[in-house]
Amino acid sequence: MADGGKMKGVEGSGEGTGHGEDMDEEAQEELELALSLGRRGWHLPPVPVPPPAPALRWSMVFPAWDPDAAGSSRAAESVWDSPPVPPLRFRDMWRGGGADADAGGAREAEEHNNVEEEEGSEDGDRDLQNKRPKVGAFGEESSGVNASFFGYEAPHLHAFAEHDHLKLSHGPENELDFGLSLISNDGGNDIPRETNSHGVCDVERSGGTNAEDLEIRMDLSDDLLHLIFSFLCQKDLCRAGAACKQWQSASMHEDFWKYLKFENTRISLQNFVNICHRYQNVTNLNLSGVLSAESLVIEAITFLRHLKTLIMGKGQLGETFFQALAECPLLNTLTVSDASLGSGIQEVTVNHDGLHELQIVKCRALRVSIRCHQLRILSLRRTGMAHVSLNCPQLLELDFQSCHKLSDTAIRQAATACPLLASLDMSSCSCVTDETLREIANACQNLSVLDASNCPNISFESVKLPMLVDLRLSSCEGITSASMGAVCFSRILEALQLDNCSLLTSVSLDLPHLKNISLVHLRKFADLNLRSPVLSYIKVSRCSALRCVTITSNALKKLVLQKQESLCNLSLQCHNLIDVDLSDCESLTNEICKVLSDGGGCPMLRSLILDNCESLSVVELNNSSLVNLSLAGCRSMTFLKLACPKLQVVILDGCDHLERASFCPVGLESLNLGICPKLSVLRIEAPNMSILELKGCGVLSEASINCPCLISLDASFCRQFMDDSLSQTAEACPLIEHLILSSCLSIDVRGLSSLHCLQKLALLDLSYTFLMNLKPVFDSCLQLKVLKLSACKYLSDSSLEPLYREGALPMLVELDLSYSSIGQTAIEELLACCTNLVNVNLNGYKTKEIRESSDCQLEVLSCTGCPNIKKVVIPSTANYLNLSKINLNLSANLKEVDLKCSNLYNLNLSNCNSLEILKLDCPRLANLQLLACTMLQEDELKSALSFCGALEILNVHSCPQINTLDFGRLQAVCPTLKRIQSSPIA
């Protein structure tokens, strides 16, 4: 590498493999930063040069000015007198074509160094980074510049490798055209010729490619470059600096080199010294994972007088290193991790007057002595040392976590030597005793944070820490209920952690400042009594023996006591409590309802979860603020009474044994009680309810429903739903529009007479009932649009006479008579007279023939499963202009279909096994289903399709008489056909 000021990037583990490095060495990245240091005398060691070999070179070309050739490849033809050669490939340009190219690049780098040294001798005061290499024509005197830019392989230029003519503009005053000289250094022409549409040879032959199309403008202002480079790390800055002089100058700005992060990077001693000499305003230095980091710091320490933060990691740090830190007067933070301190037999001393924070984490040492008069924070976490000596009168935070080799005496002496100590962490120090805690309490009057978790030898009895704010005693086997007396002495305590204290049986605390407490996995814990006006967080989990909980707080908003199997008594005085979750508390009794009702101590309660509380049998809640209630899985509950005017959501899934329910009053808008099959008595008073589902309440015999805004009521399969209940509901809910009484076998004419109260009734479902007289329906429901009488076996032809003879139900558009006993004559008269009908369902119809002959608004006709239908005829004179869908599926005896419907869109004749005659005149038919029509012949189908000019989908699956292998024949008959569904074997 030349010392003339070019910047060489980071050589990662995946680069430079051609130099024969070890695989272990390749796993790390070596940072070689050859900076432009002027004439200060700092030079980097030269890069080893491989044996010379032919290689491609990158040369500057100054073509003679030709107005006609300017901006095109002809500008280069004047200097290219060699035979045409293939274009430079990606790997050739940046890898130099292997070892040969590497050698050639090294020789060219030496030529460039000689040029720069000559220029430097003529003008020694000028910085080498401002130089431009001398170039000439392609002759013996011209010096080539290797494409790797002085040994640095530029990956950011790989994207430009496909262009054989690049133009880099460094400013408006000087522009150079860079061309690729594909002449080997030995003058040979042994490069094999290749063909490439983007190659130089093709450009020459075409003569028309404009070089402006390949221009790369890099005229970036210094301010913009500074902003962009501020987002780059040192490695990327090195790569960017190799692009051009402007970028090199911008990347070397001292703002980017105040924080040197060389973590896990391989860097030479001389190079590191050069960097520190060049950038003496460095404030942060990270050498974690760097080999021989100690030597680097010692050698460059004189240039690091502005250093404030130093991070070291791994390796060996001896006494010399810590002594050298005195040369950095501004150093205030030192972090050492995973390192070996000292020689193993000597004491390591850290003596620095300006140090404020010292982190020695996971290190190995025999004895450590720290004498830092300004030190505020000290961490010796997970450091294996047998003794520590502290002389830090200003120390505030001390961390001994997991220092297993430290004795109880060593910890006591170290902590008591810091009278201003406010935070102490000695968790997992198994040797600590109560005596040490008492002496620390006496010596450190300001101690506010103490973590003594995983210390099995402490009971915390007789320990008085009046200034304690945060106390952690997790996994302390000696903590018992007697320890709570010492805890209560800390009157300003805000946080307490008692997880995994296996001997703790009860906690009773009255602390005015306690904000949060954690009680997890306490096997013998049975009683909890907390009193604190600011208590806001309680975590209680896996306390299988907990039976009684008493909490008094004005700040607690959420209480979660899930899976407390033994909890049976709960007392709450929490005026701001909003959410309570008592899921899976199997021992909770009915008395919990009094605690959660008005007057029970939770006036702001909005959400209550009592899922799977299987001991609850009677739930009575009278709460004026409750909004959400979940009782899912309460299988023992038989009686439910809710008086919650703001209740919006109630979940009763799995309440299989609920027999009586009262919702008076509630704010529910919808309610589904169909999941309560044993419900027999129901009372609802819900002024906002619009949807009520009672489907499946088979034993519901008494219902009082007072919902003035109710729109939809589904009482399907309520076999014992009586006339009285229907009458009362109709009077109290006059806005009902949808009433479903399917399978309500107890409903009779007396109940239907109350329908006159429902002036907006639009849908009435009386399917599967024993009704014989529908006169109350025809007389009262003038707005009815949908009437379902499916499977009403006791209806006769005369039952529907008011429809087709008296003009009853003038708004009726949908009628379902599936599987009824209505005769063919009544059906024909009905279809002829009820011209407003749009959808008629005659599924299971027993007539032998359907023949239409009058005007009608019918849109959908469904006759699924009519075994007696043999013929369907709809002539053009019927004027069924709106009929769009006919379903005759499963009509096994249907033999003839003759349809002339101008707007029919969908026709389903699937499973009509006897169908032989098919006549269609349906110009808009798009979907024809003939699944399993085994008797239908192909000629009959073609004849029918010839009058269906819009057909797109045809299903002839399982039709053995129809051959669909020749799709063209069917498409010739019906050109619009797009898809045929057929059997694999036609």
Side-chain angles (χ1 to χ4, degrees):
M1 179 190 301
D3 64 322
K6 294 297 177 184
M7 185 176 293
K8 178 180 173 184
V10 179
E11 296 182 358
S13 59
E15 300 176 358
T17 56
H19 297 290
E21 297 180 356
D22 262 340
M23 295 303 294
D24 291 340
E25 294 176 349
E26 292 175 358
Q28 295 180 332
E29 292 186 343
E30 180 176 5
L31 186 65
E32 294 291 348
L33 304 174
L35 304 176
S36 177
L37 304 175
R39 288 297 180 181
R40 299 182 181 178
W42 298 92
H43 301 286
L44 297 178
V47 176
V49 181
L56 302 175
R57 62 185 181 182
W58 179 294
S59 303
M60 297 183 182
V61 181
F62 296 91
W65 175 251
D66 183 358
D68 297 331
S72 68
S73 62
R74 286 186 295 168
E77 293 180 3
S78 59
V79 296
W80 287 14
D81 51 359
S82 61
V85 292
L88 196 60
R89 289 187 173 182
F90 175 87
R91 61 178 181 269
D92 298 328
M93 180 178 291
W94 306 119
R95 294 293 182 184
D100 294 341
D102 290 340
R107 183 167 62 253
E108 290 169 357
E110 291 180 357
E111 294 175 6
H112 171 69
N113 294 345
N114 296 334
V115 172
E116 288 192 334
E117 289 176 359
E118 293 175 3
E119 291 182 348
S121 62
E122 296 175 1
D123 189 2
D125 298 331
R126 186 169 54 185
D127 197 310
L128 291 180
Q129 67 177 344
N130 295 325
K131 286 186 177 182
R132 185 182 303 276
K134 293 183 179 180
V135 295
F138 289 104
E140 297 181 355
E141 300 297 326
S142 63
S143 60
V145 182
N146 191 283
S148 63
F149 285 98
F150 314 104
Y152 168 66
E153 296 184 357
H156 59 283
L157 291 179
H158 288 182
F160 307 143
E162 65 182 15
H163 300 300
D164 298 289
H165 189 276
L166 301 179
K167 185 173 183 180
L168 304 179
S169 175
H170 297 279
E173 69 279 359
N174 54 351
E175 293 186 355
L176 295 178
D177 283 341
F178 281 77
L180 282 179
S181 174
L182 301 180
I183 307 173
S184 60
N185 290 347
D186 57 359
N189 298 326
D190 54 350
I191 303 177
R193 183 181 302 272
E194 294 181 0
T195 302
N196 191 322
S197 59
H198 299 287
V200 176
C201 299
D202 294 339
V203 173
E204 291 179 359
R205 287 193 294 268
S206 64
T209 303
N210 195 336
E212 293 179 356
D213 296 337
L214 302 178
E215 280 187 346
I216 302 174
R217 294 294 182 183
M218 307 179 76
D219 294 329
L220 301 178
S221 66
D222 292 340
D223 292 339
L224 180 57
L225 275 178
H226 191 89
L227 176 62
I228 295 173
F229 284 4
S230 64
F231 295 97
L232 303 181
C233 63
Q234 270 95 34
K235 297 177 183 179
D236 293 333
L237 285 171
C238 296
R239 296 184 176 100
C244 62
K245 291 199 300 182
Q246 183 191 17
W247 284 32
Q248 180 189 22
S249 177
S251 65
M252 294 170 61
H253 197 283
E254 63 178 7
D255 288 349
F256 306 141
W257 299 88
K258 290 184 178 180
Y259 184 6
L260 299 181
K261 185 177 181 180
F262 299 142
E263 184 177 3
N264 297 322
T265 302
R266 200 168 52 191
I267 183 171
S268 65
L269 174 61
Q270 187 62 51
N271 196 17
F272 180 74
V273 173
N274 293 344
I275 296 172
C276 294
H277 182 270
R278 175 66 176 84
Y279 302 105
Q280 299 191 18
N281 290 325
V282 172
T283 59
N284 294 64
L285 177 59
N286 186 344
L287 293 175
S288 178
V290 177
L291 298 178
S292 304
E294 179 185 22
S295 302
L296 299 181
V297 174
I298 294 175
E299 291 296 327
I301 197 69
T302 56
F303 306 125
L304 299 174
R305 299 189 59 84
H306 294 87
L307 189 64
K308 296 182 179 179
T309 301
L310 176 59
I311 301 176
M312 306 289 288
K314 300 181 180 179
Q316 182 84 21
L317 298 179
E319 186 71 19
T320 306
F321 166 78
F322 293 102
Q323 293 175 355
L325 296 180
E327 299 292 333
C328 304
L330 300 181
L331 184 66
N332 55 36
T333 301
L334 173 61
T335 300
V336 181
S337 60
D338 196 15
S340 298
L341 308 183
S343 60
I345 58 175
Q346 297 180 348
E347 180 180 77
V348 176
T349 302
V350 182
N351 189 350
H352 196 287
D353 292 335
L355 205 60
H356 285 75
E357 180 176 350
L358 176 59
Q359 303 275 347
I360 300 179
V361 179
K362 199 180 177 181
C363 293
R364 298 161 294 280
L366 182 63
R367 300 169 60 89
V368 177
S369 176
I370 301 175
R371 303 172 185 175
C372 303
H373 294 254
Q374 300 298 323
L375 194 64
R376 301 290 193 276
I377 301 174
L378 173 61
S379 175
L380 298 172
R381 176 174 300 197
R382 301 178 65 185
T383 295
M385 54 192 170
H387 185 269
V388 60
S389 174
L390 300 183
N391 185 5
C392 309
Q394 303 296 322
L395 191 65
L396 300 177
E397 298 181 18
L398 179 58
D399 187 354
F400 282 136
Q401 179 182 342
S402 300
C403 293
H404 303 291
K405 295 183 179 181
L406 273 181
S407 64
D408 183 40
T409 303
I411 294 177
R412 182 189 314 168
Q413 292 176 350
T416 55
C418 307
L420 301 181
L421 194 64
S423 175
L424 175 61
D425 185 349
M426 51 184 183
S427 58
S428 300
C429 294
S430 56
C431 297
V432 177
T433 62
D434 284 338
E435 182 63 26
T436 295
L437 289 179
R438 283 190 286 268
E439 292 197 19
I440 292 175
N442 294 330
C444 306
Q445 298 292 327
N446 296 322
L447 189 64
S448 59
V449 178
L450 175 62
D451 190 348
S453 302
N454 293 290
C455 296
N457 296 324
I458 66 172
S459 64
F460 210 74
E461 297 181 15
S462 303
V463 178
K464 297 181 180 180
L465 293 168
M467 303 303 294
L468 204 59
V469 175
D470 189 346
L471 176 60
R472 303 172 189 176
L473 298 173
S474 298
S475 302
C476 293
E477 298 177 359
I479 297 297
T480 63
S481 300
S483 306
M484 297 302 104
V487 174
C488 288
F489 188 81
S490 304
R491 298 297 295 172
I492 64 173
L493 188 66
E494 296 181 1
L496 177 61
Q497 191 175 69
L498 297 170
D499 300 344
N500 298 295
C501 295
S502 57
L503 298 180
L504 188 63
T505 59
S506 64
V507 172
S508 180
L509 297 174
D510 185 358
L511 298 173
H513 297 279
L514 185 65
K515 294 181 179 180
N516 63 74
I517 184 172
S518 179
L519 302 163
V520 178
H521 197 202
L522 305 178
R523 291 176 296 175
K524 298 183 179 182
F525 186 54
D527 188 8
L528 174 62
N529 189 344
L530 298 176
R531 181 183 295 272
S532 173
V534 296
L535 185 64
S536 59
Y537 177 78
I538 299 176
K539 183 177 182 181
V540 179
S541 177
R542 301 171 65 189
C543 300
S544 57
L546 183 62
R547 296 179 53 85
C548 182
V549 175
T550 302
I551 301 173
T552 301
S553 172
N554 293 329
L556 187 64
K557 294 184 177 181
K558 184 174 183 178
L559 176 62
V560 178
L561 297 173
Q562 296 179 348
K563 297 183 179 181
Q564 306 303 319
E565 296 88 350
S566 302
L567 182 63
C568 56
N569 295 320
L570 178 63
S571 177
L572 300 175
Q573 291 296 326
C574 305
H575 294 167
N576 290 308
L577 187 62
I578 295 176
D579 297 334
V580 174
D581 188 350
L582 300 173
S583 301
D584 300 290
C585 294
E586 300 175 356
S587 300
L588 274 181
T589 63
N590 298 332
E591 296 298 321
I592 189 64
C593 298
K594 296 181 180 179
V595 177
L596 302 173
S597 296
D598 290 343
C602 305
M604 303 296 291
L605 185 63
R606 292 175 57 86
S607 177
L608 175 60
I609 300 177
L610 295 171
D611 294 349
N612 301 311
C613 295
E614 297 185 357
S615 296
L616 294 178
S617 59
V618 177
V619 176
E620 296 185 54
L621 289 175
N622 183 0
N623 193 308
S624 58
S625 61
L626 191 63
V627 175
N628 298 319
L629 173 64
S630 179
L631 295 167
C634 296
R635 303 185 182 279
S636 300
M637 183 176 60
T638 59
F639 180 79
L640 174 63
K641 183 178 181 180
L642 301 178
C644 307
K646 294 184 179 180
L647 187 64
Q648 297 290 328
V649 178
V650 61
I651 300 175
L652 298 173
D653 296 352
C655 299
D656 301 335
H657 295 82
L658 183 62
E659 299 176 359
R660 304 178 64 187
S662 174
F663 302 86
C664 301
V666 292
L668 295 171
E669 296 182 358
S670 64
L671 178 62
N672 183 3
L673 294 174
I675 51 182
C676 304
K678 295 186 178 181
L679 185 64
S680 60
V681 179
L682 174 63
R683 184 184 176 196
I684 299 178
E685 183 179 332
N688 299 323
M689 185 174 293
S690 60
I691 300 175
L692 175 60
E693 292 193 20
L694 303 175
K695 185 176 182 179
C697 297
V699 297
L700 182 63
S701 58
E702 182 180 343
S704 175
I705 303 173
N706 184 8
C707 304
C709 294
L710 190 65
I711 296 177
S712 176
L713 172 61
D714 186 352
S716 301
F717 302 100
C718 294
R719 301 177 183 274
Q720 298 185 22
F721 192 69
M722 308 301 291
D723 290 338
D724 294 339
S725 298
L726 178 58
S727 300
Q728 187 275 335
T729 301
E731 293 177 0
C733 310
L735 300 181
I736 291 180
E737 297 180 5
H738 297 172
L739 179 60
I740 302 176
L741 300 174
S742 177
S743 297
C744 292
L745 305 181
S746 300
I747 298 296
D748 203 347
V749 177
R750 188 165 60 91
L752 295 181
S753 300
S754 63
L755 297 181
H756 70 277
C757 300
L758 307 179
Q759 296 298 320
K760 295 186 177 182
L761 187 63
L763 183 150
L764 177 61
D765 189 350
L766 298 173
S767 301
Y768 296 93
T769 59
F770 297 153
L771 294 172
M772 301 174 60
N773 188 355
L774 298 177
K775 189 175 186 302
V777 177
F778 298 144
D779 294 341
S780 305
C781 306
L782 301 180
Q783 302 296 321
L784 195 64
K785 296 181 180 181
V786 179
L787 177 60
K788 297 185 178 183
L789 301 172
S790 178
C792 292
K793 300 295 185 179
Y794 294 96
L795 289 179
S796 61
D797 292 358
S798 60
S799 301
L800 298 181
E801 286 184 359
L803 279 177
Y804 56 84
R805 291 185 179 180
E806 301 175 8
L809 305 181
M811 305 295 292
L812 191 66
V813 295
E814 181 177 342
L815 178 62
D816 188 354
L817 295 174
S818 300
Y819 305 101
S820 64
S821 57
I822 305 299
Q824 179 176 354
T825 303
I827 294 296
E828 292 179 353
E829 292 189 21
L830 186 68
L831 296 176
C833 298
C834 298
T835 58
N836 291 329
L837 284 176
V838 173
N839 191 339
V840 176
N841 290 329
L842 298 174
N843 300 330
Y845 188 43
K846 295 183 180 180
T847 187
K848 296 182 180 180
E849 184 178 2
I850 297 179
R851 186 183 297 272
E852 309 299 341
S853 60
S854 61
D855 296 338
C856 186
Q857 300 296 322
L858 191 64
E859 295 182 4
V860 179
L861 176 62
S862 179
C863 297
T864 301
C866 298
N868 295 330
I869 295 181
K870 295 183 180 181
K871 185 177 181 179
V872 176
V873 179
I874 301 180
S876 59
T877 57
N879 293 325
Y880 272 20
L881 301 179
N882 297 319
L883 187 60
S884 61
K885 182 177 180 180
I886 297 178
N887 188 355
L888 297 170
N889 185 25
L890 295 172
S891 297
N893 295 315
L894 181 62
K895 292 185 177 182
E896 180 181 351
V897 174
D898 187 354
L899 303 178
K900 295 182 180 180
C901 302
S902 59
N903 288 313
L904 188 64
Y905 181 83
N906 191 315
L907 176 60
N908 188 353
L909 297 173
S910 298
N911 299 290
C912 295
N913 302 329
S914 302
L915 183 65
E916 297 178 354
I917 301 174
L918 179 61
K919 297 180 181 180
L920 300 177
D921 187 359
C922 306
R924 295 189 179 181
L925 184 64
N927 191 333
L928 177 58
Q929 298 291 320
L930 296 173
L931 173 66
C933 292
T934 56
M935 303 297 294
L936 187 63
Q937 299 294 325
E938 183 176 349
D939 293 338
E940 188 71 19
L941 176 61
K942 290 181 180 180
S943 177
L945 295 183
S946 63
F947 296 94
C948 301
L951 188 65
E952 297 181 357
I953 299 175
L954 175 62
N955 186 355
V956 289
H957 193 279
S958 301
C959 296
Q961 306 298 330
I962 300 175
N963 182 11
T964 57
L965 293 179
D966 190 357
F967 179 77
R969 289 188 298 174
L970 292 177
Q971 194 174 35
V973 178
C974 184
T976 60
L977 196 59
K978 296 180 179 179
R979 185 174 62 183
I980 295 181
Q981 300 173 356
S982 61
S983 304
I985 301 178

